[in-house]
Amino acid sequence: MKIAKLSVLRPVAMAMVIGLIVILGLVSLRDLSVDLFPEMTFPIVAVTTSYEGAGPEEIEQLVTQPIEEVMSSLPNVESVSSTSRAGGSLVLVAFNWGTDMDFATLNMRERIDMVRDMLPEGVVTPQVLRFDPSMLPIVQLAVTEPNGDIIEARKLVENEIKPRFDSVDGVASVSIEGGAIKEIQLLSDPNQLALHGITMTDIQQILASENLNIPGGQIVDQNVNLPVRITGEFTSIYDIKSLPIPTTQGVVPLETLVDVVETLRPMNQKSYLNGEPSVGISISKASGTNTVAVARALNEEIEQLSASLPEGVQIKSIFDQSRFIEQSIRAVAWNIIVGSLLAAGVLYFFLRNFRSTLIIGFSIPISIITTFLFMYFSGHTLNVLTLGGLALGVGMMVDNSIVILENIYRLKQKGLSIKDAAIEGTSEIGGAIVASTLTTVVVFLPIVFVEGLAAQLFKPLAITVAFSLLASLFTAIIIVPLFSSTLMKDDVETTSFDHGFTRLKKGYKRLLEAALKRPKTVLASTGILLALSLAGIPFIGTEFLPAQDQSFVSIDVRLPDGTSLEATQQIIDEMDEKLVGISEIDLAYVTVGGTDNFTISAGSQTNRATYNLLLTEPGQRSRSDLEVAEQLRLRFADIPVADISVSSSDSGFTGDPISITVKGRDTETLNQLSEEVISIISKVEGVREASSNFTTGSPELTAHINRQTAATYGVGSAQIATTISNATRGMVATRLARQGEELEVRLIMDERYTDSVESLQQILIDTPTGERIPLSAVATFERSVGPSTIRRADRLREVTVSASVLGRDLGSIMDEIKVSLRDELGPVLPSGYSISFGGQDEQMIDAFTKLAGAIALAVVLVYMVLAGRFESFYYPLIIMFSVPITVIGIIFGLLVTFQPFGVGSLVGVLILTGIVVNNAIVLIDYINTLKARGLSTYEAIIEAGPTRLRPILMTALTTILGLIPLTLGFGEGTEIQQPMAIVIVFGLTFSTLITLLLIPTVYYLLDRRKEKKNFTAEAME
């Protein structure tokens, strides 16, 4: 090749070009963003709105359905689902993957403008929110105070810690949970107020009008403009107590009418760290920012804060995504280094030449740095998957360089000078390595067009591998000839290994001769091996993505709706006792009064609690997070009433492993069917924590107003509602600003008037005639169960049953579940009701279908590249025989490693499709070269096989050994690449061994048949 000749003859100029590339690559590495996974765009958009006071059925009919109808007609909509509950509506619109989400969101807002006039008066304008994984917290912290003073802890977080975190570059939001807040309560006695002829509303108005700082204009005094300011704000609780209130009994201080107490606001959420009261902080990063950089900046800010905070105040990290990212990237980087060293060891073992090994040693980092340059300009980030692609590419990176170096080494042994050997060796084999590189790169082209979550994850990996191979081609054609002509010695020494390898070549030659004498035996043996391997398919399970041990376990605790915070706290205390003795738990953080994720501002639910358990490092414990989670499930199994769900190894975007949706018209029927589904699937081995999202509603007290009676007293519904609200919730009358803090002043009725239904009924209400009547005179009170949540998908009501799996692969479990549901529930399923499967099972089937199509297209593209290289349809067909026999190694590898077949395995098959043909390309290319020199087919095969044995073995071994660390799963965060590595290592191993005999045999048979046809045609002429 001319470029190789230029590289050898112009070494200084070429060295400067290489140096420039290295500098640019290092600069780009510095600026590459570091994240856990690639930036992903999910085609899901939510429409949220609220309608105060409306029940779920009214919400469904008046709000949800109109929004669903206009959203269903949007282009590229895959599905529309909704949740209607008392006071609110949530509509989720899922678009097809690949949809322009900016344009889709704009269309949604236009449709909402069209339907807004159709919605009832009082409905809040619907909001459109795109689902973005970057909105999830990257860091969660817990702040504790030495004396357990949760008030001071909350004050510190609000006044000192949160403002510092808000100012950190890249932080999008900082939210606070838990802690106690002070307020001033004015406890009123209705009888006392009635005695003085004043109401709670009167007091509220007086407080609001007295607590003011207002401008009073300005005056001119001695030619100076003086603004006038009237100050009447309260500065202390004494000002409130002594506030004069005009009554029918005269002017009295406020404390005569109400009890003024400084206390804590009623808490509906508490947080604890290792049993100690704490305040939680959740921090989210801005979209597109560097996760690791933001987390590091936050950790630096924490260090600076720790020095200035009061003694004993601690800020503990309970979740830090950057920690897992750094562990994962460190593990993958270490695998790259180990793989590179193993590849260099293979080179030295075969060549026994330190300088030759050094040449390849230089080519690896240069190829990696060049890859970083490609990644930077293509907009990719450093993450677990792109670095995993680099780890996969390390073994393949040196293949091109090995083939060229070995050819230069062989020609030098024949007596050529170093420069001539470098030029001739590169030119002779250059076409073959360009073809082999293109066959490997071209297999990634179909995955660019694949849509779905799997493509979002693995597309960056595929592109990174392609970049690394293109970088290695550049290195092999330019740098290896340059370094060879500079670093290699003229003299060639023969070592004992050369003698040993000569004997190996002779042994292989004898095997090859035997194979060519009995070609049908070789084909039959290969066919038998292939058939035996295919028989092992039923014993291999399937999965979507492998679980990743992130040293984190979450526990969701749900009690019956309406359960008080105190009752939930009792359950948490019992669970805390059961956590004792589990050595793997490093930190235990719990929030009692878990936040409802229905909407951002939905508040909290006192019947829920959430545990975040931070485990010790994987290397410091003998059990995985899945095993710890299973132990926790067993310990919590005997806790009554509570519905406890334990999850681990959750990536956050793959959904529940098992998700079964029952659709139909009637909510109660759906509930009954979902209970039957839970009962059936719970019997399947490996299913854990099956539950449905059906909610029966929460207990409530309904006040029915007797309008006729109320009208005779001159009392309206609004006055009755206000009286009840003021009695139970109170009203914020004003605020007291004191020493840098602001306290709410809440006017509330004394608790003894609202501690029971009977007490509430006796509250007096004023009439226009001055008469005071009890609430029971104009309203009746009834205990009932509040309306449940209504969920719909594609305009049908639905209930979803979800579960996790343990100890078995997802595919086997789902096959058994589908059979059980068909046999037990299918015959009794009412008309108009259906069961569908979603979650990871749906994602897995979708990914398998699309990736299988990508593999089929990759095979076609590889064949087309080979046809273009050899300018023939005949020789590429022979080379393609090396592809199907990889199945033997793939199935064997998955069986012996007990690895289910998943999306990672399919991507490994895709990569393998482009790799396995390389050995056959190198072999057949040289056979054709020898035939062009006048040798017969048999002679060319017998000479080409042993001659190309060394580069074939070297390239195969470097790829295999380079992937050994990933195959063994060394380090955190490598679980997702392990299936790919297993498929490639075992597939390539078996394919290489079989190819060495099978491809020459097929070539010999077909070429002999071709010669016979040509001879027959010539004879007929």
Side-chain angles (χ1 to χ4, degrees):
M1 287 187 163
K2 291 183 179 180
I3 193 168
K5 185 176 181 180
L6 179 65
S7 174
V8 172
L9 299 179
R10 297 287 186 272
V12 176
M14 199 56 66
M16 292 179 66
V17 172
I18 295 169
L20 179 62
I21 291 173
V22 169
I23 292 171
L24 290 174
L26 292 173
V27 172
S28 64
L29 175 61
R30 183 197 63 185
D31 295 333
L32 279 173
S33 181
V34 183
D35 290 299
L36 180 59
F37 289 107
E39 286 283 342
M40 290 180 284
T41 302
F42 284 81
I44 300 174
V45 184
V47 181
T48 65
T49 186
S50 60
Y51 186 19
E52 193 68 31
E57 292 186 351
E58 290 82 3
I59 290 288
E60 181 189 31
Q61 294 174 5
L62 301 177
V63 180
T64 304
Q65 287 186 8
I67 295 176
E68 282 181 336
E69 288 173 3
V70 295
M71 294 304 159
S72 299
S73 61
L74 285 168
N76 298 319
V77 170
E78 184 179 286
S79 65
V80 177
S81 58
S82 66
T83 303
S84 302
R85 72 169 198 178
S89 169
L90 171 68
V91 178
L92 290 177
V93 184
F95 292 87
N96 296 322
W97 287 92
T99 302
D100 184 342
M101 294 309 298
D102 292 329
F103 184 68
T105 306
L106 181 63
N107 276 344
M108 289 179 66
R109 291 194 173 97
E110 290 177 352
R111 296 296 175 94
I112 287 173
D113 290 338
M114 293 168 53
V115 79
R116 187 181 300 166
D117 293 337
M118 299 168 55
L119 301 178
E121 186 179 351
V123 174
V124 176
T125 302
Q127 291 185 329
V128 177
L129 304 172
R130 285 177 58 176
F131 177 71
D132 187 352
S134 66
M135 294 170 61
L136 300 174
I138 62 167
V139 174
Q140 289 179 300
L141 306 169
V143 180
T144 58
E145 209 269 344
N147 301 319
D149 189 343
I150 204 66
I151 301 173
E152 287 302 315
R154 173 101 187 189
K155 193 185 300 182
L156 272 173
V157 171
E158 290 180 337
N159 298 336
E160 296 187 36
I161 298 176
K162 183 180 183 296
R164 294 279 291 270
F165 288 161
D166 282 329
S167 64
V168 173
D169 189 30
V171 169
S173 66
V174 180
S175 58
I176 303 171
E177 60 184 21
I181 302 174
K182 283 184 179 181
E183 71 174 10
I184 296 172
Q185 291 184 358
L186 310 182
L187 303 177
S188 64
D189 183 337
N191 296 324
Q192 180 72 6
L193 296 182
L195 182 64
H196 288 78
I198 196 168
T199 66
M200 291 177 64
T201 303
D202 295 333
I203 295 176
Q204 186 265 333
Q205 291 173 350
I206 293 171
L207 283 167
S209 62
E210 291 293 328
N211 187 29
L212 290 175
N213 269 2
I214 57 176
Q218 63 180 15
I219 64 171
V220 179
D221 183 15
Q222 299 178 1
N223 296 325
V224 176
N225 289 325
L226 298 175
V228 180
R229 187 164 60 92
I230 300 121
T231 60
E233 276 189 340
F234 301 143
T235 59
S236 68
I237 193 170
Y238 175 77
D239 292 342
I240 298 174
K241 289 181 177 181
S242 60
L243 180 69
I245 305 293
T247 70
T248 56
Q249 304 294 325
V251 178
V252 298
L254 181 60
E255 62 182 343
T256 304
L257 302 173
V258 298
D259 292 331
V260 182
V261 294
E262 185 172 337
T263 183
L264 298 180
R265 184 185 301 176
M267 297 176 64
N268 56 12
Q269 192 177 76
K270 298 178 181 178
S271 300
Y272 297 91
L273 177 66
N274 293 337
E276 298 294 325
S278 66
V279 177
I281 305 174
S282 295
I283 304 170
S284 300
K285 73 180 184 72
S287 180
T289 54
N290 189 327
T291 302
V292 173
V294 174
R296 283 178 179 170
L298 285 168
N299 289 326
E300 290 174 3
E301 195 68 35
I302 290 171
E303 288 183 9
Q304 295 176 12
L305 271 169
S306 299
S308 60
L309 291 175
E311 186 177 354
V313 174
Q314 291 186 325
I315 305 176
K316 293 282 189 179
S317 174
I318 54 177
F319 174 73
D320 187 346
Q321 196 179 90
S322 69
R323 173 188 172 204
F324 181 67
I325 294 173
E326 290 180 330
Q327 288 174 348
S328 303
I329 290 178
R330 195 182 306 120
V332 175
W334 178 245
N335 287 335
I336 291 174
I337 293 171
V338 173
S340 302
L341 293 175
L342 289 173
V346 169
L347 293 174
Y348 186 75
F349 179 76
F350 275 93
L351 300 179
R352 293 290 172 154
N353 187 301
F354 179 75
R355 288 173 178 259
S356 299
T357 306
L358 194 63
I359 292 170
I360 302 298
F362 279 134
S363 71
I364 293 175
I366 292 174
S367 297
I368 292 174
I369 290 171
T370 307
T371 305
F372 288 143
L373 189 62
F374 289 155
M375 289 173 62
Y376 177 78
F377 284 109
S378 62
H380 287 83
T381 64
L382 275 182
N383 53 66
V384 174
L385 289 168
T386 53
L387 273 178
L390 207 54
L392 290 171
V394 161
M396 296 181 280
M397 274 182 190
V398 295
D399 287 358
N400 293 331
S401 298
I402 286 172
V403 172
I404 286 184
L405 183 66
E406 193 278 336
N407 209 38
I408 294 171
Y409 188 80
R410 183 178 61 84
L411 292 175
K412 192 176 66 170
Q413 285 181 319
K414 287 187 174 183
L416 271 69
S417 67
I418 293 176
K419 288 189 176 182
D420 291 340
I423 296 171
E424 180 65 25
T426 305
S427 300
E428 184 178 87
I429 203 72
I433 69 164
V434 169
S436 64
T437 303
L438 288 178
T439 57
T440 309
V441 171
V442 79
V443 299
F444 298 116
L445 189 59
I447 205 172
V448 174
F449 302 103
V450 174
E451 297 174 348
L453 178 59
Q456 290 270 318
L457 287 172
F458 289 100
K459 194 179 295 183
L461 178 143
I463 291 173
T464 303
V465 175
F467 284 161
S468 66
L469 293 175
L470 291 173
S472 72
L473 179 62
F474 161 80
T475 304
I477 293 176
I478 297 178
I479 296 175
V480 171
L482 173 63
F483 285 174
S484 298
S485 63
T486 307
L487 298 178
M488 267 191 179
K489 291 183 178 179
D490 283 321
D491 56 324
V492 177
E493 297 179 1
T494 303
T495 64
S496 58
F497 176 79
D498 292 325
H499 294 299
F501 191 74
T502 300
R503 288 194 295 271
L504 178 64
K505 287 169 63 175
K506 289 179 179 178
Y508 169 60
K509 185 176 181 180
R510 287 194 295 270
L511 274 176
L512 195 56
E513 289 172 344
L516 294 181
K517 288 178 182 179
R518 299 177 180 83
K520 292 182 180 178
T521 303
V522 174
L523 293 177
S525 301
T526 305
I528 292 170
L529 283 174
L530 187 58
L532 289 174
S533 63
L534 292 174
I537 290 178
F539 302 99
I540 300 174
T542 54
E543 66 178 2
F544 181 55
L545 290 174
Q548 286 188 285
D549 191 337
Q550 299 189 31
S551 302
F552 190 79
V553 175
S554 63
I555 306 172
D556 183 54
V557 184
R558 300 192 184 205
L559 279 77
D561 289 338
T563 303
S564 66
L565 192 70
E566 291 71 23
T568 306
Q569 180 68 61
Q570 292 176 4
I571 296 294
I572 295 305
D573 293 340
E574 185 178 348
M575 292 178 65
D576 282 341
E577 294 177 3
K578 293 181 180 293
L579 292 177
V580 176
I582 301 178
S583 59
E584 290 86 354
I585 297 177
D586 186 18
L587 292 175
Y589 178 77
V590 60
T591 300
V592 186
T595 300
D596 179 15
N597 58 5
F598 181 77
T599 61
I600 295 173
S601 59
S604 62
Q605 297 176 330
T606 56
N607 66 313
R608 291 185 58 182
T610 304
Y611 271 97
N612 291 326
L613 303 181
L614 184 65
L615 307 183
T616 55
E617 301 288 344
Q620 299 173 5
R621 49 186 162 91
S622 58
R623 297 188 300 175
S624 69
D625 58 345
L626 289 171
E627 292 170 321
V628 174
E630 180 63 9
Q631 182 186 6
L632 292 171
R633 291 189 188 101
L634 296 174
R635 288 198 175 192
F636 298 148
D638 60 347
I639 296 180
V641 184
D643 181 10
I644 301 173
S645 174
V646 184
S647 61
S648 60
S649 299
D650 184 10
S651 60
F653 47 77
T654 54
D656 293 310
I658 299 172
S659 181
I660 304 169
T661 300
V662 186
K663 294 183 181 180
R665 297 181 300 274
D666 182 62
T667 305
E668 287 302 321
T669 305
L670 289 175
N671 182 34
Q672 294 173 7
L673 290 173
S674 67
E675 291 299 324
E676 292 182 35
V677 170
I678 291 173
S679 175
I680 292 170
I681 70 173
S682 296
K683 300 174 186 175
V684 176
E685 183 186 353
V687 175
R688 294 289 186 276
E689 297 179 335
S691 61
S692 78
N693 63 357
F694 181 84
T695 55
T696 57
S698 55
E700 66 180 13
L701 184 66
T702 306
H704 299 284
I705 299 174
N706 188 327
R707 298 182 188 277
Q708 193 70 31
T709 305
T712 61
Y713 288 108
V715 177
S717 298
Q719 185 180 354
I720 297 171
T722 302
T723 302
I724 295 173
S725 176
N726 290 343
T728 56
R729 295 191 301 179
M731 63 179 84
V732 177
T734 187
R735 286 176 171 80
L736 170 64
R738 182 185 64 184
Q739 297 176 355
E741 63 176 345
E742 190 174 66
L743 280 68
E744 289 185 348
V745 179
R746 184 180 299 274
L747 186 60
I748 192 169
M749 194 171 289
D750 196 289
E751 188 177 4
R752 66 177 182 271
Y753 294 99
T754 58
D755 58 0
S756 67
V757 177
E758 290 73 20
S759 299
L760 184 64
Q761 289 176 327
Q762 299 307 314
I763 291 177
L764 299 177
I765 184 170
D766 295 317
T767 67
T769 61
E771 186 180 1
R772 305 182 72 226
I773 59 173
L775 279 173
S776 58
V778 291
T780 57
F781 293 83
E782 178 187 4
R783 290 179 181 268
S784 62
V785 176
S788 61
T789 299
I790 299 175
R791 293 179 173 86
R792 289 158 50 100
D794 299 324
R795 305 186 188 183
L796 280 176
R797 291 181 175 180
E798 67 171 17
V799 174
T800 300
V801 174
S802 59
S804 55
V805 300
L806 183 73
R808 291 183 65 192
D809 65 279
L810 177 62
S812 301
I813 290 176
M814 287 305 302
D815 289 341
E816 192 172 335
I817 285 175
K818 290 173 182 177
V819 171
S820 300
L821 289 177
R822 185 186 64 224
D823 295 343
E824 297 186 39
L825 197 58
V828 297
L829 193 67
S831 175
Y833 292 81
S834 63
I835 295 176
S836 60
F837 301 90
Q840 290 185 21
D841 179 62
E842 181 184 33
Q843 293 172 327
M844 179 178 69
I845 293 171
D846 179 66
F848 279 16
T849 303
K850 291 175 178 176
L851 285 174
I855 292 172
L857 181 57
V859 171
V860 174
L861 292 174
V862 168
Y863 180 79
M864 292 172 65
V865 170
L866 293 175
R869 165 67 184 91
F870 289 97
E871 296 185 355
S872 166
F873 296 108
Y874 173 70
Y875 296 114
L877 188 63
I878 299 172
I879 293 171
M880 295 305 291
F881 270 86
S882 59
V883 175
I885 60 174
T886 58
V887 173
I888 301 170
I890 291 170
I891 295 176
F892 178 78
L894 294 175
L895 285 173
V896 298
T897 58
F898 303 101
Q899 181 72 44
F901 192 79
V903 173
S905 307
L906 265 176
V907 175
V909 173
L910 184 69
I911 296 172
L912 198 57
T913 302
I915 296 174
V916 294
V917 297
N918 292 345
N919 293 333
I921 292 172
V922 171
L923 185 60
I924 288 180
D925 184 74
Y926 195 53
I927 292 173
N928 290 344
T929 300
L930 293 176
K931 285 178 65 179
R933 294 176 183 173
L935 274 68
S936 67
T937 300
Y938 181 83
E939 292 170 340
I941 291 174
I942 295 301
E943 182 175 341
T947 302
R948 287 289 180 251
L949 179 62
R950 180 158 56 185
I952 287 174
L953 290 179
M954 289 170 68
T955 54
L957 281 173
T958 51
T959 301
I960 291 166
L961 292 177
L963 291 175
I964 287 297
L966 280 180
T967 303
L968 298 176
F970 289 147
E972 297 83 7
T974 58
E975 295 94 340
I976 203 164
Q977 294 98 8
Q978 189 178 18
M980 289 184 288
I982 288 172
V983 165
I984 294 172
V985 165
F986 282 92
L988 184 58
T989 301
F990 279 77
S991 175
T992 301
L993 296 176
I994 296 173
T995 298
L996 287 171
L997 294 177
L998 179 65
I999 296 301
T1001 302
V1002 173
Y1003 187 102
Y1004 180 66
L1005 279 175
L1006 294 180
D1007 211 52
R1008 194 168 62 176
R1009 185 178 178 183
K1010 182 180 177 182
E1011 288 176 356
K1012 285 182 180 179
K1013 281 187 177 181
N1014 292 338
F1015 177 77
T1016 304
E1018 290 174 2
M1020 291 178 65
E1021 290 177 0

